[in-house]
Amino acid sequence: MMKFRFRRQGTDPQRERIKQELFAFNKTVGHGFPHQPSALAFDPKLQLMAIGTKSGAIKIYGAPGVEFTGIHGDATAVTQIHFLPGQGRLLSLLDDNTIHLWELVAGPSREVGGHFVVRIFSLWEKIKLCLFVSFIHSRLPDDYRCGKSLGPVESLQEHPQQPGKILIGYSRGLVVLWDLGAGRVEQLFLGKQQLESLVWERSGNLFVSSHNDGGYSVWAVTSGNACSPQPVSSTIPYGPFPCKAINKILWRTSQSGSPVLLYSGGMPRASYGDRHCLTVQQDKEHVTLDFTSRVIDFFTVHSIKPEKEFDDPSALVVLLEEELVVIDLQTPGWPSLPTPYLAPLHSSAITCSCHIANVPPKLWERLINAGKAQRGRQQTHMSWPICGGKNLAPPPKQQELLLTGHEDGTVRFWDASGVALTPLYKLGTANVFHTDCDDPHDPGDDPDLQQEEEWPPFRKVGCFDPYSDDPRLGIQKMSLCKYSNKLMVAGTAGQVIVLGFNDERSDHSVDVSVVDLLQDREGFTWKGHSRLEPRLKPAPFPPGFQPLVLVQCLPPASVTAVALHTEWNLIAFGTSHGFGLFDYHRRNSVLARCTLHPNDSLAMEGPLSRVKSLKKSLRQSFRRIRKSRVSGKKRVITTPTSKVQEANAALAEQEEVAPVQRRIEPRSADDSLSGVVRCLCFADTFLRDGTHHGPTLWAGTNSGSVYAYALEVPGVGSGRACERGGASESSSCVEAVLGKEIQLMHRAPVVSICVLDGRGKPLPDPYEASQDLAIAPDMTNAHSVLIASEEQLKVFSLPKVSAKTKFKLTAHEGCRVRKVALVLFSSAAQEDYNEHTLVCLTNLGDMHLFNIPALRPQVRYDCIRKEDISGIASCVFSKNGQGFYLISPSEYERFSLSAKVLTEPLCSVQLDRPQMLPVVSDGEGQTLEPPSSLSSPILDTPLDSPLSCADLTLDSTGELTVEDVRDFLT
Amino acid sequence: MNKNHRAPSSHSLGTVEVKSKFGAEFRRFSLDRSKPGRFDEFYGLLQHVHRIPNVELLVAYADVHGDLLPINNDDNYCKAISTASPLLRLFLQRKEEADYTMFGTDSMTRKKNTVLSAVLLRPDTNKKKPPVIISLPKDFRPVSSIIDVDILPETHRRVRLYKHGQEKPLGFYIRDGSSVRVTPQGLEKVPGIFISRLVPGGLAESTGLLAVNDEVLEVNGIEVAGKSLDQVTDMMIANSHNLIITVKPANQRNNVVRGGGGVGGGTTSGSSGRSSDSGASFYGYSSHGASASAASHIIQNFPVGELDSDEEEEDLVIEAGGEAEAIGHAPSSYSIASVPRYEPHLNLRTNPSSTYSIHTNGTLPGSSGSLNNTNADSATPSPDRAKERRSLEEEGTVITL
């Protein structure tokens, strides 16, 4: 049909070139902690750490800024990783019985992990092992043998001083020292307990075995003694009651005398069997590190130089299921060390996020100081122990902040300027309220108080704490003014807090106001949660953002939209019932407007409503799925609501079994939740006539209604306030007068409203124009307003609201707008050329870019999988063309739409490779190379590894089992 | 009756003779053809001359073809006056006992006295259905049409559904499925979107143009191939006010056979015949009715103004200022039709009667088309209305987009 022909644009080569200089899509770097880590390895020579995950990703970290990522083609769990020390290569064993060899390769601009797949790598180990199992049997004393099999091999450890000897530990307890060169058993150790792990002492005179019963044994290796029936010593540290197994043990010698013993597990089964513990003990010092999630693996950073006599471990690195903990072993008391990367973003579930670009240096400095003050006690002088590689990325041109709001009512400030997302400062909002568990001290801040006096000497370590004390504290929306240092935070129970920055500790009470958004609506009863009880007495607030004003919406529904204008001292907030405008300077409520549709019972009754639509229950089950991704082992809180949800989920599942069909019905006015306020925006523009501009407030709802209010702010604007002149500033209040109401006929939810100036550019933020930080908006030509709904983008002229341009995205593409942002794209070629562009993320996970105000489509990129609902919901854009979205509850993927602004790892690692392998450099390090073509050169290469046995011939006749390969590598 | 003088025949061009019948009584009077006045004045006059000041009336007239058509607003009143030659025959009924089924009775093929018989002699046994008030503009409009018959393969059908207001659901469901296509490589199974269910009483079912298992090929001109069920759902909902879906009917026996002779509408299946008729005659006003060739029939289906269907979804803007309210005064007879749709939602401060929306005008270019192509409710806005629209925009009370 003809009308669709108009959409197609002629390709103007000039324009195409400009587009290429402006737009480019790249996924640049991942921030946060890898989801479901499953393996850990450390290269002591290169000082690089590798983490493998259950989804088949391998991430390598060195010094802050040094990062490499690789993904196995098939998403299978990585069970083990082993570095070939110093070579920049590593082997990964996957759950599907494949071994992969990876290596760091020099790409054109950066180093990436290329990788090779060796499916049946080195078959010779198999033969060796087979040989000596029977051989060993014959050597065993009769009383030990008792007709038992030896069980699978649990551990293989190479002799630290003599490369040709390996220690083989069998599951049933037998340990064999095997001489590879001579092909014979040197010594047998007849352990009586199920073996869990083995570790050599540095000198090779001793080794330690850990056992299933929670004990460990020290064995002496003496030449000439062919069979040691008894260990030198055997201890069950947490006995005498039955204990859990010690999964892994490390024995590190130190100059100061006694060795440092580190082991995971071994807790008394009955009393502490459920804890995730790691014990560090040296002499009398004994600490049981108590973690909140499972210990995956751990290693120590210690001296490996052969000339040194002792290990002298400097740091302990523990990979937990949800975070990485590093303990400083040099400083007395073994304090934990803050990590410069791998920050557990999800220490409490992320509920919202917000990005602030180009943070003024002053605020930046104050934030850093506030953050330092918070961490005061935990401070150690030790530098980050994993320091491999060199970060070549230039220092960031500007400071960027990423704010994450969490379920427990905290807001975390992250340094997002570079590759490593580093925590800066943490703000808690719970202390504004009385909560059930009012604790004078934040337990996370004060490790000393955590030390329980009982045995074992537990010490809580780590910050992963997914359990929220009160779900109402959750942060829903945030807005920060970087010039006036005002922060607006809004939460689940309708609380809106305005905070100001203070470098000093302060004891004060917070002003509380209650705004009834229902106004005069009758016949509605809120059945949801009650509002939070504000703390009325003065409370101590640490340096940083300190609350000034608390506004509580009634009914206390979750806040769905906020806007902050610091120049006018106004905040606007919206819930599912309406929106309000509050003057936080004069502490008075200016406006409350109910947006409820009279028939909408759902919005009124809140989450406990019995009449629950399928839509809502589906939404809840999605939410639950998302939450369950945080921790598979999260405890189930049984409340009446959760039972209802279960029932609803069961219902929803039943319905999904039926053939999928979709009802075609336009939205009606009385759809549920039509009154939800989706967006709010302040603008200095022309609302009533074309000659006087002044402050305005815009609000958009779920049902396509837009309300525009003309505001009269004393002392602001050339509008009526000035004409009157007479009113004295101190007595006058802010006033709001309804100027216009727009009902979009397609009734789709309004996602965003933005006012464009006379040149078609978005209006600057508060203070930007008045402080000459941005080009002053064009107030001479007619303004326009861009209203983005889920289905259409439309630009209307102001003050007479008539449609100028539009783009019907849903009608054409069948996708719906989820997130919208106005972004300034700078050209990569021309220094001073930039364009304001509208970026739309749709429900299909793709990015559509439109120029403004013409709304002509520019480019489209696939970004997020459309099934990844939480990823799409979490997406946040920066003003310079970058963005973040959650790829797991704990990881942000950073992407860039701009050809110019990229934040990606740029680093180098000094390698010591015996022979250059054919270098395969692929752009992303994620492509799978055909295994057959690349496997042979690897086998031919004499690997400078202790496992190398180049003289052995290949024999593929034997049956290779996974266990064999795994055991050999251990 | 006596007061109304009979106009001399020499003035017949300037005046209209009116013969008004209410029950068994007749009244005769005349009106100035050039200055007919407004409908409410005329309505008052009728009540006056029949001396029934407080009786709610349904006013109808017999047009040139002998069809009985309603008079209930300024437009069809003007139309009635302007087409009367020379006598305007009016039939008044009490609203509560009105028989709506008589309207639009095509009496061209019947005897001269059909109208009278329709009014007077219609037996009650024929009134099976509850009366549907089709005389009001919101009820009197196109519902569906088959379009683009000439450019589509005969196996396909392009159906346009006009969704007005909220009262009747579109009423269909779609599902995923697979269809078999003939390709150079042979038969190929490809995923497709199908109509899975029709809601009884819904718009889709009532047209008879869509059926379960029809394959959906296009939505408003955009192919659905390669799109997911959810995408197609969203596209349909986004276009729901003016949905054009191209289907490959599961039942291929009722396809249009081109060149078979005569009107496209006439050659479609029995069930869809009525609806396609409506499409043909609705747009047929410019080319002498439905007897035009199939080609012209197609072209008319896309009047220029409707190429961009956005005309049909004007967003409503209300200026809520004290001054603005005072200025604007719009004819109240229009607002009645349009306001109730928005009123509960907007909760305006302004007087609802002043929120006249031209939306009604724009969406109903020819509201009576399916019944008669020369209907009083003309397809183009009358000069008066255009003038009103301009003045409204100037005054700024209501702006349509």
Side-chain angles (χ1 to χ4, degrees), chain A residues 133-421:
Chain A
V133 165
S134 51
F135 181 58
I136 290 160
H137 255 288
S138 65
R139 302 266 322 261
L140 283 176
D142 283 343
D143 58 335
Y144 187 85
R145 208 164 13 178
C146 302
K148 292 186 235 169
S149 72
L150 297 173
V153 176
E154 280 295 331
S155 183
L156 278 176
Q157 297 292 332
E158 188 210 10
H159 195 287
Q161 306 294 338
Q162 297 158 311
K165 291 182 181 173
I166 54 170
L167 201 59
I168 304 160
Y170 290 91
S171 167
R172 302 297 295 262
L174 177 76
V175 180
V176 176
L177 180 60
W178 178 261
D179 190 333
L180 279 174
R184 63 184 181 87
V185 174
E186 277 219 344
Q187 199 173 353
L188 280 171
F189 307 91
L190 307 178
K192 301 275 191 298
Q193 279 296 332
Q194 286 262 328
L195 185 80
E196 289 286 329
S197 80
L198 290 175
V199 65
W200 281 102
E201 195 239 10
R202 189 181 180 89
S203 62
N205 298 328
L206 286 178
F207 73 87
V208 184
S209 61
S210 75
H211 300 281
N212 193 31
D213 64 342
Y216 64 89
S217 307
V218 183
W219 305 78
V221 180
T222 45
S223 49
N225 186 359
C227 186
S228 329
Q230 290 295 325
V232 179
S233 72
S234 199
T235 322
I236 299 178
Y238 295 108
F241 300 110
C243 290
K244 298 194 87 173
I246 292 180
N247 308 101
K248 178 171 176 175
I249 190 162
L250 292 180
W251 177 281
R252 299 287 178 237
T253 56
S254 72
Q255 196 139 24
S256 56
S258 341
V260 183
L261 192 61
L262 311 105
Y263 52 87
S264 62
M267 301 313 291
R269 188 180 293 278
S271 39
Y272 301 109
D274 55 342
R275 301 237 187 163
H276 310 292
C277 290
L278 192 146
T279 305
V280 187
Q281 64 182 88
Q282 182 182 27
D283 232 357
K284 291 272 179 289
E285 266 194 274
H286 184 127
V287 171
T288 310
L289 303 171
D290 185 7
F291 302 107
T292 51
S293 56
R294 201 162 56 87
V295 178
I296 304 292
D297 202 353
F298 61 96
F299 63 84
T300 58
V301 180
H302 57 268
S303 160
I304 51 155
K305 291 192 188 102
E307 64 269 20
K308 287 267 180 73
E309 197 183 340
F310 299 103
D311 288 324
D312 277 332
S314 59
L316 162 70
V317 180
V318 190
L319 178 69
L320 303 166
E321 198 160 36
E322 304 290 355
E323 63 186 316
L324 184 81
V325 170
V326 178
I327 304 288
D328 177 4
L329 294 176
Q330 285 174 322
T331 312
W334 298 328
S336 58
L337 206 63
T339 58
Y341 42 71
L342 287 168
L345 289 167
H346 62 317
S347 51
S348 168
I350 296 174
T351 44
C352 61
S353 51
C354 154
H355 182 271
I356 291 116
N358 211 354
V359 179
K362 197 160 177 213
L363 172 61
W364 191 259
E365 198 182 313
R366 293 172 77 184
L367 274 175
I368 286 178
N369 288 336
K372 268 188 191 152
Q374 272 182 341
R375 284 191 295 267
R377 270 170 199 267
Q378 310 167 359
Q379 214 65 335
T380 65
H381 302 292
M382 190 185 180
S383 55
W384 184 242
I386 302 162
C387 52
K390 217 159 129 192
N391 183 11
L392 301 177
K397 289 189 200 74
Q398 47 165 272
Q399 307 294 354
E400 291 177 32
L401 263 183
L402 182 71
L403 270 59
T404 53
H406 297 262
E407 205 175 25
D408 62 354
T410 56
V411 179
R412 276 159 223 256
F413 291 65
W414 306 89
D415 175 0
S417 327
V419 169
L421 191 73

Side-chain angles (χ1 to χ4, degrees), chain A residues 4 661-662 745 801 806, chain B residues 196 220 230 310 314-315 401:
Chain A
F4 305 107
Q661 56 176 6
R662 296 277 184 272
M745 286 315 289
V801 180
K806 64 175 156 273
Chain B
S196 63
N220 287 57
D230 288 329
D310 294 343
E314 295 147 352
D315 303 324
L401 310 171

